[in-house]
Amino acid sequence: MSRLRRPLSLTWAGLIAERLVRAFWPFWTVLAATAAVLILGLQDLMPVEVVWVGFVLAGLGLIGFAIHGAMRFRWPRRQEAVDRMDSVMPGRPLAALGDRQAIGGGDPASEALWQAHLRRMAERASAAKAVEPDLALAPRDPFGLRYVALLGLVVALLFGSVMRVGSVSQMGPGSGPDIATGPAWEGWIEPPTYTGLPSLYLNDQKGEIRVPEGSRVTVRLYGEVGALSVAETVSGRTEDVGAATDTEHSFVIVSDGTLSIDGPGGKSWTIVAIPDREPQVSLVSDGAKTTFDGQMSQPFKAEDDHGVVAGKATFRLDLDAVERRYGLAVEPEPREPISIDLPMPITGDRAEFTETLIENLSQHPWAHLPVTLELEVRDAAEQAGQSAPEEMRLPARRFFDPLAASVIEMRRDLLWSRDNAKRVAQVLRAVSHAPEEGLFRSETAYLRLRVILRRLETLTAHDSLTTEARDEVAQALWDLALVLEDGDIGDALERMREAQERLSEAMRNGASEDEIARLMQELRDATQDYLRQKSQQAQRDGEQQQGDQQLSENMMTLNQQDLQDMMDRIQELMEEGRYAEAEQALQEFQEMMENLRMTEGQQGQQGQNPGQEAMEGLAETLRDQQGLSDQAFRDLQEQFNPNSQQGQSQQNEGRDGSQGRGQSHQQGQGNQPGQQPGQQQGQNGQEGQQGQQGSLADRQEALRRELERQRGNLPGAGSEAGDAARESLDRADQAMRGAKDALRQDDLAEAIDRQSEAMEALREGMRNLGEAMAENNQTQGAQGQARGQFGDQQNDPLGRAPGQGSQVGTQDNLLQGEDVYRRARELLDEIRRRSGEGERPDVELEYLKRLLERF
């Protein structure tokens, strides 16, 4: 039995708990219900008579159930615990161990059997465990009254106040007539919602209370009217105040003061109103940047005690600081200030943060003019905070090409005031007076300028230069400046030379680091295109057959990494401000590239694969389309300037030997689809001009059919680049159809525009086809070497060229380009969006949170 002491004690304690619960559950049910009523303060809402009746009934119930429980409760004996534990074991081993042998005493066999029986019972008794008590009261409480009372007590503890129990004392005998009428009160202070602070229950507050300014106070008085009154000096009210004894008071705290409830059980408090500070914002001047394409990045810092909700940046023209000369001498047309919404943090606290305003204002009329920048932020209380005006020049794109810069300046003068229209037209006419001197890179650019000039002069002459028409001309000038600045050069060598010239011009003009990086990247791209074209030319001309056998010992052997290192050195010199050394190194690089000879990496490969044939066919189509566009351009010149026909004929004759007046320089050449011998000679007068335009339309249709045939044989189907090439050629086909229809309708200007679109689509298709050929390794044998390996190479997923030697890769094309800031902003917005999706795995959400904290 000593081993059964612990389970026996637990079983005995269970019996005690079981009998206590069964005997006294009505008592603690009534006690819990009464406590819930008192803590919730329901006694303050009822007449005193009802309260006293309730208390009497509750008291009687408690006394009665206590007596009933005491009468029913019986303390359990130890033997009852033994019986309870023995009853759950098979064979009742505890009772068997207490039994004695009734018969067979003295018989050895019988006694041995009895001892074996006792040992078996002892083994069963040694495994005895405590018996759990039966606390189920469902048969005695079928309606669950005990749970109702317990739920009420929990609700009272959560939403009530223990202090309300004390109000019962005021209802006792001897408390006077005021207590008999039951005066009571309660109140709350609710801070403004945007503060995020909790409401305060006045009954629980003592002494000084500090709350935000604008908090609303609500006080309710119960009982006899006039027994209690409210006095306050925090609202500053002078009208519609009401009586101090009204049953309900509601007002807003606007200043420090006192609040008191006078009467039985009243209180008094000192209220301290915490003012809502105005938000503050300031510029972070050392972080301002402007990219090569004119995209500004202006950091700013904002803070507020409860958080900033919105803000805006305003640019105003500083007219006093503008140098009023040339086109800016006239009075400017009124323009609204530039207003841009400030970016706000998507996640996190807005009480204090630093963000960056990113915007491109290159096309605004105030570009590069003196302006003042002022930031303004607002909080939820509609309070505004402003930064000190910052004087600056409106950040915008810079143009280094002289012709593009002049076009942009005329565009600015036209947007400054429409009174400058006549002067702008004169300057543009002077600029385009002698296009044959090489000022324009292409005749298409010259034609676009002349079309813009003609429209501007027409609008000015008819006094119909409205704001909408002026904006259309300004947009056309902007597009023309981009073409003049960025170029539209098909020949790789010419494009490389142009990139070098623009880089030299940028160094002389003191360009920024972003502009130098952009121009340096253009030089890298142009160099790669030139090497690729040089490699293909070496294969076609068979230059490697004798070149590899007659290499001079003094020749320099270079590979792609050597050229990369040379360009890196040039960029490093420019970043260090050593422009003289950088320009000398750039000239040496240019001379070396022009004298470059390509060698074939794989001998014995002759002929061309389908990709090369398609590329050459598209190049031939592009040249034919350029010829048709040139002829249409000359016909348009003759149409608007008949006096220049003779000079134009002489120019044509000198260029290709044609004899007809006004004839294109391309007509005497071969490879013109749809061209008939009778189309070689022009005719005088309008009849000859119409016949020639009809010829141009036929040739345009024949060229379109040739392009359609080439599209059917285009390689690279199924790849992304191959599909992009087909889409570009589809656009070229549509543009050629439009050019043909315009030629048949004698609309040369529209035809030239459509032909320009066709040529641009052809160039894009050729670029996409080249990428498809590189992806499918279809340019084997076209990979040249400059005493090393050059030519088409596939880039890694980050857009970088493969490394040379022991290098894994280079840093070329890594996070560069015109859309890098826009792309970075899109990535950041996507990270924020995904971080707000709660259904994502915790690991991913934590990773996104770390990214947001870092960037």
Side-chain angles (χ1 to χ4, degrees):
M1 295 297 291
S2 60
R3 288 180 297 177
L4 300 179
R5 184 175 302 166
R6 184 174 181 276
L8 186 60
S9 300
L10 293 176
T11 304
W12 181 63
L15 284 174
I16 297 175
E18 181 179 315
R19 294 182 180 183
L20 283 174
V21 169
R22 292 178 179 178
F24 293 99
W25 75 265
F27 174 81
W28 59 257
T29 298
V30 174
L31 182 63
T34 304
V37 171
L38 294 176
I39 295 175
L40 286 174
L42 298 180
Q43 71 277 8
D44 299 334
L45 305 178
M46 301 177 184
V48 64
E49 294 80 3
V50 176
V51 175
W52 277 108
V53 171
F55 279 129
V56 170
L57 293 178
L60 293 176
L62 291 174
I63 295 174
F65 287 128
I67 296 174
H68 179 267
M71 293 177 60
R72 292 190 58 186
F73 181 76
R74 186 170 57 86
W75 196 264
R77 300 193 308 268
R78 182 179 180 82
Q79 185 59 39
E80 292 177 340
V82 173
D83 294 340
R84 170 68 67 87
M85 191 169 58
D86 192 27
S87 63
V88 299
M89 292 186 294
R92 301 182 67 90
L94 297 180
L97 291 176
D99 293 340
R100 298 185 181 278
Q101 185 176 5
I103 59 175
D107 183 1
S110 178
E111 290 181 355
L113 180 60
W114 177 254
Q115 293 298 325
H117 171 68
L118 292 178
R119 285 194 299 272
R120 182 178 298 176
M121 292 297 103
E123 291 177 359
R124 292 182 180 178
S126 63
K129 296 182 180 180
V131 180
E132 296 180 359
D134 182 11
L135 302 179
L137 297 176
R140 295 174 174 81
D141 183 17
F143 299 104
L145 297 179
R146 63 191 186 282
Y147 293 126
V148 175
L150 182 60
L151 177 61
L153 180 60
V154 173
V155 172
L157 292 175
L158 289 177
F159 301 102
S161 174
V162 180
M163 303 296 296
R164 294 186 177 183
V165 179
S167 64
V168 180
S169 61
Q170 301 178 1
M171 300 180 180
S175 58
D178 292 335
I179 298 301
T181 58
W185 61 270
E186 61 180 346
W188 302 267
I189 299 180
E190 303 175 15
T193 305
Y194 63 84
T195 62
L197 299 176
S199 299
L200 301 179
Y201 188 59
L202 275 177
N203 301 58
D204 296 338
Q205 306 302 316
K206 297 179 181 179
E208 183 180 277
I209 303 176
R210 301 177 63 87
V211 292
E213 187 178 288
S215 300
R216 176 166 292 276
V217 179
T218 301
V219 178
R220 295 174 182 171
L221 305 180
Y222 309 106
E224 182 181 355
V225 177
L228 297 175
S229 63
V230 177
E232 54 89 12
T233 60
V234 296
S235 65
R237 296 177 296 170
T238 58
E239 298 180 358
D240 300 330
V241 177
T245 57
D246 289 344
T247 57
E248 184 170 348
H249 297 260
S250 180
F251 50 88
V252 176
I253 297 176
V254 296
S255 63
D256 298 345
T258 59
L259 170 62
S260 62
I261 299 177
D262 301 328
K267 283 187 178 182
S268 178
W269 303 270
T270 299
I271 305 298
V272 178
I274 304 175
D276 190 349
R277 294 187 295 106
E278 292 184 353
Q280 298 180 358
V281 61
S282 60
L283 293 172
V284 182
S285 56
D286 56 349
K289 293 182 180 180
T290 304
T291 62
F292 66 89
D293 60 346
Q295 182 171 269
M296 62 168 290
S297 300
Q298 177 60 62
F300 66 92
K301 182 179 181 180
E303 59 182 15
D304 184 67
D305 47 0
H306 297 299
V308 177
V309 297
K312 66 178 181 179
T314 304
F315 293 89
R316 292 182 173 86
L317 179 64
D318 190 359
L319 194 59
D320 296 335
V322 176
E323 189 175 2
R324 305 294 296 276
R325 61 175 185 170
Y326 305 125
L328 303 180
V330 302
E331 286 299 318
E333 295 181 1
R335 287 187 179 273
E336 293 294 330
I338 306 173
S339 182
I340 306 172
D341 292 336
L342 292 177
M344 295 286 114
I346 297 178
T347 59
D349 188 14
R350 292 189 180 182
E352 182 177 0
F353 64 90
T354 300
E355 271 287 349
T356 302
L357 173 64
I358 299 177
E359 192 69 26
N360 195 327
L361 302 173
S362 299
Q363 298 190 46
H364 197 273
W366 297 344
H368 297 299
L369 292 180
V371 296
T372 58
L373 172 59
E374 185 175 341
L375 304 184
E376 178 181 324
V377 292
R378 300 190 309 277
D379 59 8
E382 294 301 326
Q383 298 183 109
Q386 297 178 343
S387 66
E390 179 77 12
E391 297 180 356
M392 63 171 63
R393 289 188 175 272
L394 188 65
R397 174 171 179 168
R398 297 180 60 184
F399 289 82
F400 298 98
D401 183 84
L403 183 56
S406 64
V407 170
I408 288 298
E409 183 178 352
M410 293 302 100
R411 175 183 178 273
R412 180 204 64 187
D413 294 347
L414 183 62
L415 292 173
W416 180 265
S417 175
R418 281 174 287 179
D419 296 338
N420 286 327
K422 185 176 180 180
R423 175 182 178 275
V424 170
Q426 292 174 346
V427 174
L428 292 179
R429 182 168 290 280
V431 168
S432 59
H433 174 64
E436 64 275 2
E437 295 181 0
L439 187 61
F440 292 88
R441 292 193 179 97
S442 66
E443 294 182 352
T444 303
Y446 169 72
L447 176 61
R448 292 179 64 173
L449 177 59
R450 299 296 291 186
V451 171
I452 297 171
L453 177 60
R454 182 180 62 182
R455 175 165 175 76
L456 180 59
E457 290 176 340
T458 302
L459 293 173
T460 305
H462 293 82
D463 196 18
S464 58
L465 186 60
T466 62
T467 302
E468 293 75 12
R470 186 268 312 274
D471 293 341
E472 291 179 2
V473 174
Q475 184 61 43
L477 289 173
W478 174 265
D479 297 337
L480 175 61
L482 292 180
V483 172
L484 295 173
E485 176 73 12
D486 297 335
D488 189 14
I489 306 172
D491 183 75
L493 178 60
E494 192 65 28
R495 181 167 175 261
M496 185 181 66
R497 290 174 178 171
E498 180 64 24
Q500 293 168 348
E501 293 175 2
R502 293 175 62 187
L503 187 58
S504 299
E505 183 71 19
M507 285 190 292
R508 289 191 291 270
N509 293 339
S512 64
E513 293 184 2
D514 291 336
E515 293 166 345
I516 290 178
R518 191 256 300 185
L519 294 174
M520 198 67 203
Q521 185 59 41
E522 289 184 1
L523 177 59
R524 297 177 194 271
D525 296 339
T527 302
Q528 290 291 337
D529 293 341
Y530 172 67
L531 293 175
R532 190 177 299 112
Q533 185 188 45
K534 192 76 173 176
S535 173
Q536 295 174 355
Q537 181 182 3
Q539 182 191 6
R540 291 194 300 267
D541 298 342
E543 185 178 345
Q544 73 280 1
Q545 294 180 0
Q546 296 179 357
D548 290 343
Q549 300 176 2
Q550 299 178 358
L551 292 177
S552 171
E553 295 181 358
N554 296 327
M555 283 187 177
M556 182 184 299
T557 301
L558 297 174
N559 57 24
Q560 190 171 6
Q561 185 60 38
D562 295 332
L563 297 177
Q564 179 68 35
D565 294 340
M566 292 180 67
M567 287 186 283
D568 291 342
R569 177 59 178 166
I570 294 173
Q571 185 172 1
E572 181 180 353
L573 292 173
M574 287 187 294
E575 292 174 353
E576 294 175 355
R578 300 157 63 181
Y579 295 115
E581 299 179 29
E583 190 159 1
Q584 181 180 358
L586 187 60
Q587 292 176 357
E588 294 175 356
F589 178 79
Q590 180 177 356
E591 294 175 358
M592 181 192 67
M593 294 304 297
E594 292 181 356
N595 297 327
L596 181 67
R597 292 184 59 191
M598 307 299 295
T599 61
E600 183 66 22
Q602 296 179 2
Q603 301 291 340
Q605 296 183 3
Q606 298 180 357
Q608 296 180 344
N609 56 35
Q612 295 171 342
E613 294 178 357
M615 186 69 76
E616 290 187 359
L618 291 177
E620 185 67 24
T621 302
L622 179 60
R623 285 193 293 270
D624 293 341
Q625 183 62 74
Q626 182 67 56
L628 291 177
S629 179
D630 292 344
Q631 181 173 345
F633 171 67
R634 284 178 171 77
D635 290 345
L636 184 62
Q637 280 185 316
E638 293 176 2
Q639 181 178 350
F640 288 96
N641 191 8
N643 296 329
S644 64
Q645 291 182 0
Q646 182 177 358
Q648 186 69 29
S649 299
Q650 293 175 358
Q651 292 178 6
N652 289 342
E653 182 178 356
R655 292 180 66 171
D656 54 276
S658 300
Q659 301 298 328
R661 180 170 59 87
Q663 185 174 327
S664 170
H665 70 282
Q666 293 290 346
Q667 277 188 336
Q669 299 175 2
N671 299 329
Q672 297 294 337
Q675 182 177 351
Q676 302 297 330
Q679 299 171 2
Q680 295 288 332
Q681 300 297 331
Q683 299 179 6
N684 294 327
Q686 184 68 21
E687 180 181 358
Q689 187 177 6
Q690 292 177 354
Q692 189 177 22
Q693 290 170 1
S695 173
L696 285 177
D698 294 339
R699 291 167 59 190
Q700 184 68 73
E701 176 63 18
L703 189 61
R704 187 196 64 79
R705 292 176 180 175
E706 174 63 19
L707 177 63
E708 185 176 4
R709 183 192 64 80
Q710 293 173 352
R711 288 208 325 267
N713 300 328
L714 202 65
S719 63
E720 182 178 356
D723 294 341
R726 284 169 170 79
E727 293 178 0
S728 300
L729 296 184
D730 288 341
R731 293 198 303 271
D733 181 270
Q734 295 298 326
M736 287 181 178
R737 291 179 186 270
K740 178 199 68 175
D741 295 340
L743 287 172
R744 294 193 186 281
Q745 297 173 7
D746 195 19
D747 190 353
L748 292 177
E750 177 67 19
I752 292 173
D753 288 341
R754 301 288 78 77
Q755 289 172 341
S756 177
E757 294 176 4
M759 288 186 288
E760 180 62 28
L762 282 171
R763 292 188 182 96
E764 184 177 354
M766 294 174 65
R767 287 193 295 268
N768 293 329
L769 179 59
E771 294 177 2
M773 293 166 59
E775 292 175 0
N776 297 326
N777 294 325
Q778 293 179 351
T779 56
Q780 298 178 0
Q783 297 178 349
Q785 296 178 352
R787 302 302 176 257
Q789 187 68 26
F790 292 114
D792 295 338
Q793 298 186 12
Q794 293 185 357
N795 296 336
D796 66 5
L798 294 178
R800 301 174 299 181
Q804 296 291 332
S806 59
Q807 297 188 2
V808 177
T810 69
Q811 297 300 319
D812 294 346
N813 298 327
L814 183 59
L815 290 181
Q816 296 186 12
E818 296 184 358
D819 295 336
V820 56
Y821 291 99
R822 178 186 60 80
R823 179 58 177 160
R825 186 67 183 181
E826 290 177 354
L827 290 174
L828 186 58
D829 292 342
E830 179 65 17
I831 293 174
R832 286 171 173 167
R833 184 188 66 80
R834 296 190 180 186
S835 64
E837 298 177 353
E839 66 273 9
R840 293 184 176 273
D842 293 340
V843 177
E844 182 179 354
L845 292 176
E846 293 177 359
Y847 173 67
L848 295 174
K849 182 179 180 181
R850 292 196 301 270
L851 288 179
L852 288 175
E853 291 175 352
R854 181 174 182 181
F855 299 105

